Amino acid sequence: MSEKNPFEDPLRFERRIPPSAIVIFGANGDLAKRKLLPALYRLAFERRLPPGVAILGNSRTEMSDDQFRETMREAVQQFLEDSPFDAELWKSFAQGLFYVSGDIQDKKCFAAIKRKLKKIEKDRPTGGNVLFYLSTQPSHYIPVIQGIGAAGLHQNGGWTRIVIEKPFGRDLESSDELNREVHGVFDETQVYRIDHYLGKETVQNILAFRFGNGIFEPLWDRRYISHVQITAAESIGVGSRGAYYQEAGALRDMIQNHLLQVMATVTMEPPAVFEPGTVRDERAKLLRSIRIMKPDDVKNHAAAGQYGPAKLGNDEAPGFRQEKGVDAASQTDTYAAATFFIENWRWAGVPFYIRSGKRLPKRVTDIAIQFHDAPHSVFGALPVLSRSGRGPNLLILRIQPEEGISLRFLSKQPGSGMKLRPVSMDFSYGSSFGERTPTAYETLLVDVLVGDSTLYTRQDMVEASWKAVQPILDVWGGTKFKFPNYAAGTWGPKSADEMLARRGHVWRIP
Amino acid sequence: MPEVQAEKLLGELAQVWAGLGKQQDPDAAGGVLRACAMTLLVLVEEDSEPVDISGTVGDIMQDYPSRAVVVRVGGEAAGIDAAASAFCWKPFGRRQQICCEQIDIRTGRAALAGVPSVLRGLMVPNLPVVLWVRSPALMNAEGFPEFLELADKVIAESRGEKDWRRQMMQIGALLHSGKAAADLAWTRITRWRELVAQLFEDASLAEAAEKVRTITVSHSSPEPGPASLYLGAWVRLCLGGTAEIRYRQAGRKVTWQIQELRLEGPGIEVRIQRTAQGVVEVRTNSLSTCIIFRQLREADLLREELAILGPDPVFQKVLRSL
């Protein structure tokens, strides 16, 4: 809230978004239609957007303001989740939607955007504040940034910020190049690299769980934790994203960004205060502490997989190479697993196993923290707990779909004698907080509009995570894999199991 | 010695939980989850207008799972009757059924003073206790101070009471005594206040705020009522306490509804007006737009209050100024 606003009531009011204009490049694309506009409409529905907010869309498709409004209305109606569509509200919301068609390779496009912004500022009180949102293909990021700079759109009287969607480059080199171009126009404090995983309520809850309570943090280190498994599994294949996915792969698409950020959230040191700078400093510090693999290490510390065709129930699921837009001899990883080590006092020697894949048995994302066994078992042999090994104490942070936290421990089975049985103590996010949780995009859009960068990734974090995966990318790039090596509907290739078996560990079944 | 004992009720609850566990479909791997974040004590007169307390409590439970203890007071019965049950639901897309506890206590006015001795054993340990006085007249009943002692926060509503000024004073007295207390009539105007705050994010309006000379609150009832008074007083306080407040009756014939808020002065005009069911029109010097005000249910108001268990300094200041 502005310092001059005399009507502040922080106890009851949500954080106030200042009047502003949002310029979306790629406004006719999937992301804008499926995520951005529904999130902005939902914020308007919740009365979170200031009445004068303006949204200016750009793409190559020729459209008038009214046609753009109609296209967005259809998209919002189709993709709005958990909320009613209100025709009256839409009328008012749509008054703030504008459109400029044009090719971002053409200077005239940015001149037209500039003229339109000037006109909007006359009619609506945006205060000269502008948020640029890059919702285009990654290959268009640099031309858009250069166009903004050349047209002087970043100097508009109020604040100017830019949101960049992942991927932030394809590797360390291209990421550096993107950063150089971005910093030619914007200061790092104006740059918001979005990683929607960090906007998920349950990922944010990891920080609350760790640093809001006093009882877990003392156990949160190498003395008590045996290893950590982070799983992000998808049951679906690549679907219509075959062409994109073929260029990316699971390691780039999930591990380099989302899952290393999640790992950093689980393992970072507590910040002195909960402020964007301090939280991001700790995350960055942790990411820089990840041991960089040598080329020879990659074989034992990483596993690549690609799904082949299989019968799933009554359906024939195609293999990756049979998906639309995918090369019949593709070497792309649809499954990636890696073992990372963090080189600091807290985590030295603790393996962090991270895996992500398509066409696995179910959609699930969770973090399993396996504690060491008791130093001496007074009850003799412990019961077999599950496929995933002996250790009775397992803390699971569930990110999706059933968000929550559970702790497994041993309990005496009722009856005579001392028989032990594992039991689970569960906290379910949905049961204790039934209210609708905002989508990650709602959270992150509010954050960027109020200038809170806590949940956005910074240049040094992006660099550090590229450095962590670059050796794997380099080795895999020069390897001819015998793909496919796992059937759709299974938990991935054998090589991933072997990676854990070398340390006597087993992937748990989430 | 009350006829109903806390221990017996807790035993009934234990049986309810055991029963729920046994009823589970063996294929439903999720099972039953017992959730509790507070004790919610509800005090309601049963012979007043019929109200769906269980429905409202059920709505709240999904956001604030609680042990709800509903004390229904009616007639001149000399005894106390009680029963325990569970309130369960399965959130969309989840396998696990979530259950909360509800204890219903029925008593006559004459026996009300005996109820707190039962309640003391029913409070969930280590969690906050919120007392919702659904029928504010019970704040004058014998034994009410003992209910107060049990609660960390008291929620009542002055709006709708014939003697609403007295209710406001009673809530003020509670606050003065150091008890966290809320008036749902104040909660009702949060969206009006938030909208005003949002409009004044516009730098040009914020700069002109000190020029506001008159605050006009239009209301639907013959007299302003607590919500209108709160809104007018809050705006005035925020603007430094010098603007003149005017109340006037206008608009549709709906009881106790704020119809319009207008802030005026040289070079500034802000007007927020209900135009149709659920629609509010906003006009400022530079803007005209529409906002949706969904119909507020009692559960919505309670949810807002249950999120604030400590003191509410803005409310205290406004109430003191009246």
Side-chain angles (χ1 to χ4, degrees):
Chain A
M1 184 174 280
S2 127
E3 282 175 20
K4 287 180 187 168
N5 194 323
F7 296 99
E8 193 175 354
D9 185 355
L11 192 65
R12 289 184 189 255
F13 298 172
E14 301 278 1
R15 289 179 300 169
R16 304 250 56 85
I17 294 173
S20 39
I22 303 167
V23 181
I24 302 175
F25 292 96
N28 198 32
D30 246 19
L31 177 69
K33 286 178 182 169
R34 285 172 181 270
K35 300 289 181 189
L36 300 183
L37 263 296
L40 287 164
Y41 171 81
R42 177 71 208 188
L43 290 173
F45 184 82
E46 296 280 356
R47 301 191 308 278
R48 303 289 311 276
L49 284 187
V53 78
I55 298 162
L56 173 58
N58 162 261
S59 78
R60 272 184 300 192
T61 316
E62 288 284 342
M63 268 191 280
S64 65
D65 286 344
D66 282 339
Q67 285 169 324
F68 178 61
R69 287 166 188 156
E70 186 54 23
T71 307
M72 291 304 119
R73 186 187 60 77
E74 285 168 14
V76 169
Q77 276 188 300
Q78 186 179 351
F79 297 114
L80 191 62
E81 292 170 17
D82 313 330
S83 308
F85 180 84
D86 188 292
E88 276 299 318
L89 175 65
W90 178 261
K91 257 195 244 169
S92 170
F93 179 76
Q95 283 173 14
L97 296 184
F98 305 92
Y99 185 76
V100 170
S101 64
D103 184 346
I104 49 164
Q105 308 283 356
D106 185 353
K107 280 182 188 169
K108 284 181 197 160
C109 171
F110 293 92
I113 291 173
K114 192 172 187 174
R115 282 196 300 277
K116 191 89 170 188
L117 270 178
K118 282 247 151 56
K119 187 175 179 311
I120 290 170
E121 279 159 22
K122 271 188 191 164
D123 300 338
R124 304 176 78 83
T126 64
N129 302 322
V130 186
L131 170 68
F132 296 105
Y133 201 114
L134 301 192
S135 172
T136 63
Q137 289 175 29
S139 59
H140 291 163
Y141 290 173
I142 291 178
V144 172
I145 291 160
Q146 288 171 339
I148 290 171
L153 286 173
H154 59 305
Q155 294 154 339
N156 208 45
W159 53 252
T160 309
R161 296 176 191 137
I162 185 164
V163 175
I164 305 176
E165 279 280 340
K166 67 141 192 154
F168 315 117
R170 270 187 56 75
D171 50 25
L172 184 58
E173 194 185 334
S174 55
S175 160
D176 284 348
E177 189 196 346
L178 177 62
N179 278 329
R180 273 195 303 277
E181 291 292 341
V182 169
H183 290 151
V185 180
F186 296 96
D187 182 77
E188 179 62 23
T189 57
Q190 297 172 284
V191 183
Y192 289 70
R193 294 176 192 81
I194 199 165
D195 185 326
H196 75 269
Y197 251 63
L198 293 182
K200 287 180 184 288
E201 286 283 332
T202 38
V203 174
Q204 296 176 62
N205 190 40
I206 295 171
L207 295 176
F209 177 77
R210 287 190 59 201
F211 305 136
N213 298 296
I215 58 171
F216 302 109
E217 208 50 28
L219 306 177
W220 217 255
D221 63 30
R222 62 190 303 276
R223 285 175 298 167
Y224 298 98
I225 292 176
S226 155
H227 66 277
V228 176
Q229 297 186 13
I230 301 177
T231 301
E234 289 282 351
S235 58
I236 54 170
V238 294
S240 59
R241 292 173 72 226
Y244 159 77
Y245 199 86
Q246 181 167 248
E247 298 303 314
L251 186 66
R252 279 193 181 92
D253 194 47
M254 290 296 291
I255 295 182
Q256 181 272 332
N257 38 67
H258 301 321
L259 299 187
L260 284 181
Q261 292 296 335
V262 168
M263 181 176 113
T265 308
V266 171
T267 53
M268 67 190 234
E269 294 298 318
V273 285
F274 192 73
E275 285 174 358
T278 54
V279 174
R280 300 205 302 175
D281 283 348
E282 293 303 338
R283 269 208 189 97
K285 206 165 81 187
L286 187 287
L287 290 167
R288 284 197 300 270
S289 308
I290 296 174
R291 183 193 298 168
I292 307 298
M293 291 180 206
K294 295 187 177 71
D296 289 348
D297 295 335
V298 171
K299 194 179 170 205
N300 289 336
H301 287 74
Q306 188 188 88
Y307 62 86
K311 191 165 170 103
L312 301 179
N314 293 323
D315 301 326
E316 295 291 342
F320 179 65
R321 289 174 175 180
Q322 287 76 50
E323 300 273 17
K324 196 179 161 197
V326 175
D327 184 346
S330 172
Q331 284 285 306
T332 301
D333 51 306
T334 61
Y335 175 100
T339 307
F340 292 104
F341 287 92
I342 296 168
E343 296 193 313
N344 63 20
W345 277 43
R346 190 193 276 258
W347 297 113
V350 177
F352 287 81
Y353 303 118
I354 302 186
R355 62 177 161 171
S356 176
K358 296 274 183 198
R359 282 274 187 225
L360 300 184
K362 65 175 177 184
R363 173 177 169 260
V364 61
T365 302
D366 67 16
I367 302 146
I369 296 159
Q370 178 70 61
F371 289 86
H372 289 302
D373 293 353
H376 167 66
S377 173
V378 296
F379 305 109
L382 291 174
V384 175
L385 299 170
S386 71
R387 174 184 176 274
S388 59
R390 297 166 299 116
N393 298 130
L394 183 67
L395 180 72
I396 297 169
L397 309 172
R398 297 190 303 272
I399 308 291
Q400 59 186 19
E402 292 195 13
E403 302 91 339
I405 296 171
S406 48
L407 177 66
R408 186 178 73 181
F409 56 93
L410 290 180
S411 174
K412 181 188 173 298
Q413 212 165 315
S416 62
M418 185 56 84
K419 286 184 183 163
L420 304 186
R421 203 180 77 178
V423 291
S424 180
M425 195 158 69
D426 251 342
F427 156 71
S428 167
Y429 216 75
S431 67
S432 292
F433 304 96
E435 58 209 80
R436 176 191 178 275
T437 51
T439 65
Y441 275 94
E442 285 167 46
T443 303
L444 292 166
L445 279 166
V446 170
D447 282 357
V448 64
L449 288 165
V450 300
D452 180 351
S453 56
T454 311
L455 300 176
Y456 284 84
T457 51
R458 210 168 52 189
Q459 178 194 357
D460 53 348
M461 296 153 78
V462 174
E463 275 173 15
S465 54
W466 274 121
K467 277 182 186 162
V469 301
Q470 192 63 49
I472 308 175
L473 288 172
D474 291 343
V475 171
W476 285 3
T479 306
K480 189 161 171 54
F481 291 103
K482 285 182 186 165
F483 283 160
N485 60 353
Y486 72 98
T490 64
W491 280 109
K494 227 182 194 175
S495 54
D497 295 338
E498 289 162 0
M499 183 179 86
L500 268 70
R502 284 182 202 108
R503 289 187 178 75
H505 297 145
V506 179
W507 286 114
R508 54 181 281 277
I509 296 177
Chain B
M1 179 82 175
E3 297 158 275
V4 173
Q5 291 177 344
E7 262 179 32
K8 199 174 147 209
L9 282 166
L10 292 176
E12 276 181 39
L13 274 179
Q15 280 177 6
V16 168
W17 284 110
L20 281 168
K22 283 175 191 162
Q23 279 170 23
Q24 276 305 292
D25 174 356
D27 295 333
V32 175
L33 188 69
R34 183 180 191 172
C36 188
M38 65 176 65
T39 303
L40 178 64
L41 270 178
V42 185
L43 207 46
V44 58
E45 279 181 308
E46 199 154 55
D47 47 7
S48 64
E49 58 183 289
V51 279
D52 181 15
I53 288 294
S54 293
T56 304
V57 169
D59 276 356
I60 302 166
M61 290 279 190
Q62 302 198 15
D63 291 336
Y64 292 92
S66 318
R67 176 178 290 169
V69 184
V70 181
V71 181
R72 299 170 197 271
V73 187
E76 294 307 318
I80 303 170
D81 188 19
S85 59
F87 174 84
C88 299
W89 71 98
K90 196 182 271 190
F92 179 74
R94 291 174 194 277
R95 289 173 302 165
Q96 204 164 35
Q97 191 166 223
I98 298 165
C99 295
C100 293
E101 301 162 334
Q102 182 164 333
I103 296 171
D104 285 284
I105 295 178
R106 288 172 195 279
T107 186
R109 280 179 178 279
L112 185 63
V115 174
S117 64
V118 179
L119 295 180
R120 275 183 211 108
L122 294 176
M123 304 294 102
V124 182
N126 311 317
L127 288 173
V129 179
V130 177
L131 170 61
W132 172 31
V133 191
R134 175 60 179 76
S135 309
L138 290 172
M139 289 170 84
N140 304 314
E142 194 186 339
F144 183 72
E146 286 185 73
F147 281 89
L148 271 184
E149 275 174 29
L150 294 170
D152 296 299
K153 177 169 182 172
V154 182
I155 301 172
E157 175 155 25
S158 55
R159 192 187 92 150
E161 290 299 302
K162 280 180 197 157
D163 201 358
W164 53 270
R165 286 184 193 277
R166 186 177 171 206
Q167 295 297 343
M168 284 169 74
M169 281 169 63
Q170 278 185 309
I171 292 168
L174 283 175
L175 287 168
H176 187 68
S177 72
K179 180 73 77 184
D183 184 349
L184 295 183
W186 167 255
T187 322
R188 284 179 192 278
I189 64 164
T190 299
R191 56 192 185 171
W192 286 85
R193 297 194 302 121
E194 200 165 14
L195 182 54
V196 172
Q198 181 73 74
L199 293 172
F200 278 81
E201 283 293 328
D202 176 359
S204 60
L205 267 189
E207 278 165 21
E210 61 188 24
K211 295 179 188 163
V212 173
R213 296 285 174 267
T214 55
I215 302 156
T216 310
V217 183
S218 303
H219 48 87
S220 58
S221 291
E223 51 181 346
S228 300
L229 288 184
Y230 284 143
L231 183 60
W234 173 73
V235 174
R236 187 170 189 265
L237 275 175
C238 291
L239 292 174
T242 54
E244 180 195 351
I245 311 178
R246 293 174 187 165
Y247 296 99
R248 67 185 185 98
Q249 191 186 358
R252 298 177 304 144
K253 300 285 176 220
V254 184
T255 319
W256 299 120
Q257 201 172 59
I258 297 171
Q259 294 297 313
E260 186 187 50
L261 172 68
R262 200 183 279 211
L263 313 184
E264 290 162 303
I268 181 167
E269 183 174 2
V270 174
R271 190 174 159 200
I272 306 171
Q273 185 188 22
R274 280 184 198 271
T275 53
Q277 184 79 31
V279 181
V280 171
E281 192 180 87
V282 178
R283 284 180 190 278
T284 68
N285 295 6
S286 55
L287 183 78
S288 165
T289 189
C290 283
I291 305 282
I292 301 297
F293 272 11
R294 276 174 294 171
Q295 193 176 4
L296 284 176
R297 296 170 311 149
E298 217 161 21
D300 298 325
L301 302 171
L302 287 163
R303 267 192 283 266
E304 183 176 325
E305 285 307 328
L306 293 177
I308 304 167
L309 291 177
D312 178 352
V314 178
F315 174 51
Q316 290 182 21
K317 208 169 148 188
V318 168
L319 193 55
R320 262 201 311 268
S321 77
L322 288 169

